[in-house]
């Protein structure tokens, strides 16, 4: 079992949005991975992007530039 740590969890409205975020992050070599949306987060889609919290400003900017609509950004212990 993984040890819980503080992570940035980005929720999306659609699965397509989550997949686009993953492609973009891989292309830009940004750390993170797709996860199931934690129960404490409400989302239209069941998939979220988990990344180090310090990447929030970068992810917000890059997603906006790419037209990827995030449903919310949350800092959680996951």
């Amino acid at each position: 079992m993984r040890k819980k740590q503080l992570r940035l969890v980005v929720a999306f409205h659609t699965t397509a949005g989550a997949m686009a975020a993953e492609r973009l992050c891989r292309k830009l070599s940004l750390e993170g991975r797709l996860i199931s949306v934690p129960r404490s987060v409400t989302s239209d889609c069941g998939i979220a992007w988990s990344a180090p919290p310090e990447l929030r400003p970068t992810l917000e900017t890059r997603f906006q530039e790419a037209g990827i609509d995030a449903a919310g950004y949350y800092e959680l212990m996951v």
Side-chain angles (χ1 to χ4, degrees):
M1 184 174 205
R2 289 184 175 198
K3 182 179 177 184
K4 290 190 177 194
Q5 57 182 327
L6 184 64
R7 300 289 288 180
L8 174 66
V9 175
V10 185
F12 298 93
H13 295 290
T14 66
T15 301
M19 301 303 286
E22 180 185 38
R23 280 191 302 276
L24 179 65
C25 289
R26 296 281 178 246
K27 179 181 173 185
L28 299 175
S29 298
L30 296 173
E31 182 183 345
R33 66 186 184 98
L34 289 175
I35 62 168
S36 297
V37 174
R39 292 177 195 230
S40 60
V41 175
T42 301
S43 174
D44 297 331
C45 167
I47 304 172
W49 184 254
S50 172
E54 59 270 12
L55 285 182
R56 182 176 182 156
T58 302
L59 291 175
E60 287 179 345
T61 300
R62 297 298 184 184
F63 290 169
Q64 185 177 26
E65 290 172 350
I68 299 170
D69 188 24
Y73 295 82
Y74 309 89
E75 290 190 16
L76 305 169
M77 294 296 288
V78 292

